[in-house]
Amino acid sequence: MPSLKEAHKSKKLTIMLITANDPKRKSWLNVDADSDFPIQNIPFGVFLTKDNVITIGTRIGDYTIDLGALHQLGYFKGIDLTDDVFLQDRLNDFIAHGKGIWRLVRNRIADLFDAENTKLQNKKKDRNKIIFDVADIEMHLPVNVGDYTDFYSSKEHATNVGTMFRDPNNALLPNWLHIPVGYHGRSSSIVPTGKAIHRPYGQSKPAGADNPVYGPSKLVDFELEMAFITSDVNKLGERIDIKEAEDYIFGLVLFNDWSARDIQAWEYVPLGPFLGKSFGSTISPWIVTLDALEPFRTESPKQDPKPFEYLQQTGKMSFDIHLDAFIKPENGDENLVTHSNFKYMYWTMAQQLTHHTSNGCNVRTGDMMGSGTISGPTPDSYGSMLELSWRGTKPLKLSDGTERKFINDNDTVILRGYCKNDKVKIGFGDCAGKLLPAL
Ligand code: CA
């Protein structure tokens, strides 16, 4: 693995074009028109093959590609990769190679699977070692998350919560427009899509009661978020310049920050969220690189008051990513309950990461930063049941006739996200988790 300094040096490669993104490319692998994973996506993940081998891979259409095998067969020749970089059960070592290498690897994969390139296409023996049907593999957690930080960066969400719990006239706390507010979460309970979560036990104080009670949470909620994964950013004591912040962001996943509202409301004063959040957090298993999202850059909301100089940025620093959340009761249909967009975030990823290091705190490879619940401006774009049902006062009706204020036992919550223009769609796949009864 290259040292931090070497990885930084490889940044000079970032002036290289992202040829993988060419919208005219087609793959010799079949890709459905509506797939989240055209050849322009090339996300990174970790999966278990049916031969019980864990490997690092990518995905095109409904095919997964074993990058460990591809590397062993010499298809990454000329790229400065360590021999075992893809023969691992997490992406941390690859991410530590730095942005220049990520870009070279994506470009090479795009070339190998391009319809006009016969190098791999004509080698059946190699193809059989490298390509698996997505139905035959099992996705694992893509990174070993060292530290996980969750921000609170949607102005609409912070305003809704402040309105409900404090004062509609002073919904935002005085610090909110100056600081990308965040807290340190728990990384051990981050799980990939498909892994069920149990309703947590905890303390809460029911409305009107004199004393708290202990038992299963009655108000389990989802939070529609995205999260970004970093490479090594800084040494302890160093700050980073906001202009460089995005160079350290490997990519993004969908993120459901499961929340027990009754536990949260009782415990959060004065130090913030704790057990109401740490019982489980679900992520989508493919990390979509920041490079793949380049065509979908967009303006972030205008910031007033102007942030401190260290947080000032220019250009299009947000991304137009459509976000949907569904509730699927056991044996029932999927019900779309909200549609939001990543671009509604008031504080950008670059601002979050710059702020995170502004006191000299070191951010390491594999660290994960949640956006905070992403709510849009209209009631059908709110990012949690707390807001959608307005603290339980406006239940949502599902297609089977039942109502939801929060999440019921055996409901599955599914988050989906994608970018789309007239040429290409880049998606994230499902971020799905079932809520099981309390243990
Ligand atoms: Ca959250």
Side-chain angles (χ1 to χ4, degrees), residues 47-54 131-133 135-138:
F47 61 84
L48 180 74
T49 69
K50 60 181 173 187
D51 302 321
N52 263 333
V53 177
I54 293 180
I131 301 167
F132 302 89
D133 196 308
D136 292 334
I137 59 102
E138 180 189 310

Side-chain angles (χ1 to χ4, degrees), residues 148 150-152 157 183 223-225 255-259 261 273 277 370-373:
Y148 147 51
D150 199 23
F151 286 94
Y152 188 57
H157 173 67
Y183 76 100
E223 290 192 334
L224 174 58
E225 302 195 21
F255 179 49
N256 178 359
D257 183 22
W258 294 93
S259 299
R261 300 300 181 194
K277 300 280 188 178
S371 57
T373 306

Side-chain angles (χ1 to χ4, degrees), residues 18-33 35-43 58-63 65 105-117 121 289 291-292 423-427:
I18 313 171
T19 56
N21 289 2
D22 181 352
K24 291 197 285 291
R25 269 188 202 279
K26 292 218 178 324
S27 177
W28 46 266
L29 287 171
N30 177 58
V31 181
D32 290 342
S35 173
D36 277 352
F37 303 102
I39 191 170
Q40 289 82 5
N41 190 339
I42 314 192
T58 186
R59 176 169 174 173
I60 296 176
D62 285 336
Y63 299 96
I65 292 150
V105 166
R106 266 186 87 249
N107 286 349
R108 179 68 59 87
I109 296 168
D111 284 343
L112 286 169
F113 288 89
D114 191 302
E116 288 177 17
N117 186 341
Q121 197 179 347
T289 62
D291 270 2
K423 297 186 189 82
V424 69
K425 175 187 176 190
I426 302 288

Side-chain angles (χ1 to χ4, degrees), residues 9-215:
K9 221 166 59 187
S10 77
K11 275 200 312 172
K12 67 174 186 270
L13 293 166
T14 60
I15 50 167
M16 182 199 341
L17 289 174
I18 313 171
T19 56
N21 289 2
D22 181 352
K24 291 197 285 291
R25 269 188 202 279
K26 292 218 178 324
S27 177
W28 46 266
L29 287 171
N30 177 58
V31 181
D32 290 342
D34 199 39
S35 173
D36 277 352
F37 303 102
I39 191 170
Q40 289 82 5
N41 190 339
I42 314 192
F44 293 92
V46 172
F47 61 84
L48 180 74
T49 69
K50 60 181 173 187
D51 302 321
N52 263 333
V53 177
I54 293 180
T55 186
I56 285 171
T58 186
R59 176 169 174 173
I60 296 176
D62 285 336
Y63 299 96
T64 48
I65 292 150
D66 181 342
L67 297 183
L70 204 60
H71 191 22
Q72 277 185 319
L73 290 165
Y75 287 98
F76 289 117
K77 212 170 163 186
I79 302 178
D80 192 12
L81 292 166
T82 49
D83 291 345
D84 63 347
V85 63
F86 296 126
L87 300 174
Q88 308 204 18
D89 58 5
R90 295 287 184 262
L91 276 159
N92 296 58
D93 273 7
F94 174 58
I95 296 172
H97 276 62
K99 185 169 187 166
I101 296 292
W102 314 332
R103 191 167 287 184
L104 281 170
V105 166
R106 266 186 87 249
N107 286 349
R108 179 68 59 87
I109 296 168
D111 284 343
L112 286 169
F113 288 89
D114 191 302
E116 288 177 17
N117 186 341
T118 55
K119 191 174 175 188
L120 174 61
Q121 197 179 347
N122 288 348
K123 285 212 182 85
K124 194 167 178 220
K125 224 171 94 187
D126 285 2
R127 270 179 13 218
N128 289 341
K129 284 184 194 156
I130 289 165
I131 301 167
F132 302 89
D133 196 308
V134 76
D136 292 334
I137 59 102
E138 180 189 310
M139 294 305 297
H140 282 208
L141 210 57
V143 277
N144 183 18
V145 179
D147 281 300
Y148 147 51
T149 301
D150 199 23
F151 286 94
Y152 188 57
S153 288
S154 153
K155 191 176 177 184
E156 287 81 1
H157 173 67
T159 302
N160 287 339
V161 173
T163 300
M164 270 185 265
F165 288 97
R166 284 188 304 272
D167 173 7
N169 297 317
N170 295 289
L172 287 182
L173 287 168
N175 61 2
W176 200 91
L177 292 168
H178 299 278
I179 296 175
V181 170
Y183 76 100
H184 288 265
R186 182 82 193 161
S187 56
S188 64
S189 50
I190 296 169
V191 297
T193 189
K195 169 107 177 131
I197 298 287
H198 282 278
R199 181 178 294 275
Y201 267 71
Q203 285 194 25
S204 62
K205 190 161 173 290
D210 289 333
N211 293 303
V213 296
Y214 177 71

Side-chain angles (χ1 to χ4, degrees), residues 136-319:
D136 292 334
I137 59 102
E138 180 189 310
M139 294 305 297
H140 282 208
L141 210 57
V143 277
N144 183 18
V145 179
D147 281 300
Y148 147 51
T149 301
D150 199 23
F151 286 94
Y152 188 57
S153 288
S154 153
K155 191 176 177 184
E156 287 81 1
H157 173 67
T159 302
N160 287 339
V161 173
T163 300
M164 270 185 265
F165 288 97
R166 284 188 304 272
D167 173 7
N169 297 317
N170 295 289
L172 287 182
L173 287 168
N175 61 2
W176 200 91
L177 292 168
H178 299 278
I179 296 175
V181 170
Y183 76 100
H184 288 265
R186 182 82 193 161
S187 56
S188 64
S189 50
I190 296 169
V191 297
T193 189
K195 169 107 177 131
I197 298 287
H198 282 278
R199 181 178 294 275
Y201 267 71
Q203 285 194 25
S204 62
K205 190 161 173 290
D210 289 333
N211 293 303
V213 296
Y214 177 71
S217 165
K218 292 189 168 68
L219 307 179
V220 174
D221 199 353
F222 68 84
E223 290 192 334
L224 174 58
E225 302 195 21
M226 299 199 74
F228 65 86
I229 315 288
T230 70
S231 62
D232 280 326
V233 175
N234 60 327
K235 290 190 190 127
L236 182 64
E238 287 178 357
R239 288 171 286 135
I240 59 158
D241 191 304
I242 191 161
K243 288 189 202 74
E244 286 181 18
E246 282 189 350
D247 289 344
Y248 304 102
I249 297 174
F250 176 61
L252 283 92
V253 292
L254 300 170
F255 179 49
N256 178 359
D257 183 22
W258 294 93
S259 299
R261 300 300 181 194
D262 41 359
I263 298 172
Q264 184 183 352
W266 172 237
E267 76 177 0
Y268 88 102
V269 182
L271 291 185
F274 184 28
L275 304 181
K277 300 280 188 178
S278 61
F279 60 96
S281 315
T282 309
I283 63 171
S284 54
W286 293 107
I287 304 178
V288 175
T289 62
L290 209 57
D291 270 2
L293 299 174
E294 276 298 329
F296 303 95
R297 276 190 183 276
T298 190
E299 307 278 349
S300 51
K302 187 175 158 41
Q303 295 183 320
D304 181 22
K306 206 170 171 179
F308 280 104
E309 198 179 342
Y310 78 100
L311 293 174
Q312 286 175 18
Q313 56 188 359
T314 50
K316 294 179 173 176
M317 297 300 284
S318 192
F319 294 85

